[in-house]
């Protein structure tokens, strides 16, 4: 199965169709409007001061490569292109979330291209790149909650529908840790009665020897470490939905995620 932009945060996205497809004009307009709305929301949230000129964004299918986002300079101006070749295969809603994630890399984190991601891994290690992806997932989820009224169930239902776009023959530890980090960060945000900005970066290695998971927690004010209650059996359960989501119903998928969250974060949640 063909790999999708190997160094992208979505490096396992499957390319269902190598041939370019024309994007519907109303889908293009919706995406451009959503990107602009997302950017303005990020400014309102004081996450960034940068407003990217939407006139410098193009959304056009291409058969030259399987990238999702490319950024280049043209006559002194930064231009960004999104490739919608897999929009039909993934569905509009999931595709929009992927684009918002990429856009966050661009306007907030200044990590626009895969070469930048490679450099970050070389300079700071893969854990730091995972944290960058977790932050992007977190802010996209917060946007969906604030602006579109998503809750924990609707968010993971959307991810379940998009899970067929991911492919793994085996579980890569760092990629799985990134998934768990996003899961815990996003769910803590959805479950909190107040707006919080906690990011979780887990290490799964203690699960095998000590039957718990070590977590680096980044708050806006400080950083700290903690252990979470995640037994080896919990670990196996969450691995199953990560590796083989299609073998579960959407109800079973969400139930497993919420059960893991309740135990890991020591919180009450109906599942």
């Amino acid at each position: 199965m063909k790999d999708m932009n190997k160094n992208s945060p979505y490096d396992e996205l499957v390319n269902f169709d190598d041939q370019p497809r024309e994007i519907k004009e109303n889908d293009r307009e919706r995406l451009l409007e959503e990107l602009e709305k997302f950017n303005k929301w990020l400014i309102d949230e004081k996450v960034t001061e940068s407003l990217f000129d939407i006139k410098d964004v193009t959304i056009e299918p291409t058969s030259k490569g399987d990238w999702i986002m490319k950024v280049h300079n043209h006559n002194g101006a930064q231009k960004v292109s999104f490739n919608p070749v897999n929009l039909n295969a993934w569905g509009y809603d999931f595709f929009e979330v992927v684009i918002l994630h990429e856009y966050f890399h661009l306007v907030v984190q200044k990590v626009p291209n895969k070469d930048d991601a490679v450099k970050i891994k070389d300079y700071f290690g893969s854990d730091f790149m995972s944290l960058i992806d977790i932050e992007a997932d977190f802010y996209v989820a917060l946007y969906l909650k604030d602006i579109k009224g998503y809750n924990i169930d609707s968010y993971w239902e959307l991810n379940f529908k998009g899970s067929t776009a991911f492919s793994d023959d085996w579980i890569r530890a760092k990629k799985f840790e990134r998934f768990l980090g996003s899961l815990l960060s996003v769910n803590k945000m959805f479950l909190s009665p107040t707006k919080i900005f906690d990011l979780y970066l887990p290490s799964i290695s203690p699960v095998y020897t000590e039957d718990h998971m070590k977590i680096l927690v980044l708050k806006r004010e400080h950083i700290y470490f903690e252990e979470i209650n995640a037994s080896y059996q919990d670990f196996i359960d969450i691995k199953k939905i990560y590796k083989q989501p299609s073998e579960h119903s959407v109800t079973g998928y969400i139930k497993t995620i919420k059960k893991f969250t309740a135990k890991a974060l020591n919180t009450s949640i109906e599942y």
Side-chain angles (χ1 to χ4, degrees), residues 127 130 134 170-182 184 200-216 225-228 230-236 238-239 242 260:
D127 285 335
S130 293
I134 290 166
W170 69 91
I171 291 182
R172 291 157 49 195
K174 291 303 176 185
K175 186 167 177 285
F176 184 52
E177 287 173 346
R178 172 262 166 101
F179 170 76
L180 291 174
S182 291
L184 293 172
Y200 289 78
L201 180 64
S203 172
I204 62 175
S205 57
V207 172
Y208 299 102
T209 57
E210 301 173 42
D211 216 30
H212 69 257
M213 195 178 298
K214 201 73 173 179
I215 297 283
L216 172 68
F225 288 93
E226 70 177 17
E227 294 176 5
I228 63 172
S231 68
Y232 186 67
Q233 185 58 52
D234 299 325
F235 185 66
I236 291 173
I238 206 74
K239 277 201 305 182
Y242 170 77
F260 179 82

Side-chain angles (χ1 to χ4, degrees), residues 139-155:
Y139 275 101
V140 171
L142 182 59
Y143 171 76
L144 294 176
K145 178 185 178 183
D146 279 1
I147 302 302
K148 297 195 172 187
Y150 273 62
N151 58 27
I152 193 170
D153 286 61
S154 54
Y155 176 82

Side-chain angles (χ1 to χ4, degrees), residues 2 11 34 85 92 104 110 134 191 196 214 223 264:
K2 189 172 182 179
D11 59 354
E34 204 65 43
V85 67
Y92 177 86
F104 187 88
K110 314 305 181 188
I134 290 166
L191 295 171
I196 62 168
K214 201 73 173 179
I223 299 172

Side-chain angles (χ1 to χ4, degrees), residues 35-43 50-52 103 107:
L35 289 171
E36 190 167 36
K37 188 188 300 182
F38 181 53
N39 201 162
K40 290 178 179 176
W41 175 83
L42 290 169
I43 292 173
S50 303
L51 180 63
F52 198 92
Y103 199 64
V107 299

Side-chain angles (χ1 to χ4, degrees), residues 18-19 43-44 78 127 158 170 209 212 237 244:
D18 287 333
Q19 300 303 315
I43 292 173
D44 290 342
Q78 197 174 48
D127 285 335
L158 174 62
W170 69 91
T209 57
H212 69 257
D237 292 342
Q244 299 167 319

Side-chain angles (χ1 to χ4, degrees), residues 244-257:
Q244 299 167 319
S246 61
E247 296 187 6
H248 299 76
S249 66
V250 63
T251 302
Y253 179 84
I254 295 173
K255 181 178 180 180
T256 301
I257 285 174

